[in-house]
Amino acid sequence: MQGLLSVRGLEKHFGGLAAVQKVDLDLQEGVTTALVGPNGAGKTTLFNLITGNIVPDSGTVTVAGAAVTGRRPHEIARLGVARSFQDLRLFGRMTVRDNVLAAIEHGAWFWQPGGGAARRAREAAVESALERTGLSHLAKARAVDLSYAETKFLSVARILATGARIWLLDEPASGLDLNSRNRFVALVREAVAAGVTVCLIEHNLDIVTELADRIAFLDRGAKLAEGEPAAILRDPELIAIYFGERRP
Ligand SMILES: Nc1ncnc2c1ncn2[C@@H]1O[C@H](COP(=O)(O)OP(=O)(O)OP(=O)(O)O)[C@@H](O)[C@H]1O
């Protein structure tokens, strides 16, 4: 069944390297999918192809049935697809609040008809995102002054504030302490319960087990398997590939 977000035959080469090879993937509404695979499997490249940060050599991406292949990142974001980056891409010198505000597209300015209401709605979305990520007390701090875990939550706050219904999270919990990691898991669960469809790239298999309904397993650019976490994580061949014990 075609998903809310659907990928068909997606391919990307970098010179002679096939980074993503004929990948099909469906993100079904309300289903949390984890992309799992060893380093260099093509997971981030797949996100980049979906979000328009990289143009595919071939294949298609559709969001809610609309073809978006080759469209620019902001056009795809406007359809309700938000993502985080491994390197977070925050504005270090801006405040936490302004980092979140900047993530929301300014559809209407206050001098336009309805602009005042739109601005208030944006501000409310920012405050709510800060509250849900536990960052309200840091709203006026500069992003550069945050702790590592706080920057990770700021990255999630930026997604929350957009109201996007599809979240693509690239290693969102890497390096988090236990308390922050648990808060992160709860935050994602809350979003899913509110109707968000999540796809996450995650190396921590405990987090995958806790959050994912499905795993798509990638290796060397190709999707090798897809299914329920229990089945995928019990497959000795996949686990050998994942932990680098590949047989020739
Ligand atoms: N812009 C680029 N130019 C050339 N090669 C690239 C580029 N981006 C990615 N690659 C290569 O494509 C392959 C897939 O990389 P990608 O970052 O998608 O893997 P990944 O599964 O996300 O890895 P990791 O788990 O380490 O983040 C790698 O061999 C990588 O070196």
Side-chain angles (χ1 to χ4, degrees):
M1 188 173 69
Q2 179 162 319
L4 177 60
L5 190 149
S6 180
V7 162
R8 289 288 175 273
L10 216 52
E11 285 207 284
K12 182 67 190 177
H13 290 79
F14 295 113
L17 176 86
V20 170
Q21 306 189 55
K22 291 204 184 326
V23 168
D24 293 344
L25 182 71
D26 282 287
L27 304 184
Q28 301 295 350
E29 190 161 7
V31 172
T32 299
T33 306
L35 298 185
V36 172
N39 291 331
K43 305 178 295 290
T44 297
T45 304
L46 183 56
F47 270 12
N48 285 333
L49 293 169
I50 291 172
T51 55
N53 294 84
I54 295 178
V55 177
D57 299 335
S58 56
T60 60
V61 181
T62 57
V63 176
V68 300
T69 325
R71 288 213 213 157
R72 291 157 60 98
H74 71 272
E75 295 177 291
I76 296 172
R78 207 175 284 157
L79 295 173
V81 182
R83 75 171 289 185
S84 69
F85 292 87
Q86 264 174 51
D87 60 4
L88 302 185
R89 305 196 182 181
L90 304 172
F91 301 105
R93 290 174 171 280
M94 277 165 51
T95 65
V96 165
R97 179 179 280 122
D98 285 346
N99 265 276
V100 180
L101 189 59
I104 305 177
E105 194 176 20
H106 287 208
W109 296 90
F110 67 86
W111 59 82
Q112 293 173 335
R119 191 196 57 203
R120 282 191 295 279
R122 280 201 299 273
E123 287 168 357
V126 170
E127 297 316 318
S128 162
L130 290 177
E131 203 179 308
R132 284 166 69 186
T133 49
L135 293 173
S136 297
H137 65 296
L138 293 167
K140 291 182 184 161
R142 291 189 314 167
V144 73
D145 293 325
L146 296 182
S147 72
Y148 177 76
E150 287 160 354
T151 62
K152 298 286 260 189
F153 281 101
L154 177 52
S155 173
V156 177
R158 283 167 55 82
I159 292 177
L160 259 172
T162 64
R165 59 186 168 155
I166 302 173
W167 293 8
L168 307 179
L169 305 175
D170 197 344
E171 298 193 26
S174 64
L176 288 182
D177 58 276
L178 187 62
N179 178 41
S180 304
R181 167 217 185 278
N182 291 342
R183 279 179 51 222
F184 167 75
V185 168
L187 196 59
V188 172
R189 284 203 172 129
E190 218 177 277
V192 171
V196 171
T197 299
V198 174
C199 181
L200 79 159
I201 296 172
E202 187 50 65
H203 283 286
N204 182 331
L205 297 181
D206 287 340
I207 290 183
V208 170
T209 307
E210 278 182 62
L211 285 178
D213 304 305
R214 289 186 78 70
I215 290 179
F217 190 99
L218 271 71
D219 182 40
R220 298 177 183 178
K223 191 176 82 176
L224 292 193
E226 188 177 348
E228 291 184 2
I232 299 286
L233 298 178
R234 229 189 283 122
D235 185 319
E237 277 191 29
L238 296 179
I239 291 303
I241 289 171
Y242 185 72
F243 288 109
E245 296 153 11
R246 181 193 309 277
R247 292 164 199 108

